[in-house]
Amino acid sequence: MMHNPPHPGELLRLELLDEMGLSVTAAAQKLGISRVPLSRVLNCRAAVSEELAIRLEMLGISTAKTWLDMQTNYNLFHARQRLRPVLQPLTANERRP
């Protein structure tokens, strides 16, 4: 897993706004969604949802799986940074039904 992966909204902002030259409003219209949720994703305040990932795929902006994988990698990295209790792995005897 990548060390400190970027939020997918950062990459989406580059793709939609910088490379395609769209405004947030125009991008939201093309995606068929409200400007507010798209803005939240682009500003890394919300996750890329399954629905948004599918809509991005339908526009030809990578695949839905790629967007969801990026979101999962971001989420996992940040979850691992939070404190976790120390747990002992299950022994072979404990894993048997």
Side-chain angles (χ1 to χ4, degrees), residues 33-64:
I33 62 173
S34 169
R35 180 189 182 286
V36 173
L38 179 59
S39 179
R40 291 193 47 166
V41 171
L42 295 175
N43 289 304
C44 307
R45 297 192 195 307
V48 171
S49 67
E50 292 83 359
E51 182 179 321
L52 177 56
I54 291 169
R55 288 171 183 264
L56 290 167
E57 181 178 79
M58 291 171 73
L59 282 184
I61 305 173
S62 198
T63 65

Side-chain angles (χ1 to χ4, degrees), residues 7-20:
H7 187 283
E10 292 179 44
L11 303 172
L12 185 55
R13 184 173 52 240
L14 290 172
E15 187 82 23
L16 287 175
L17 306 186
D18 296 346
E19 291 182 20
M20 296 177 110

Side-chain angles (χ1 to χ4, degrees), residues 6 21 23:
S23 67

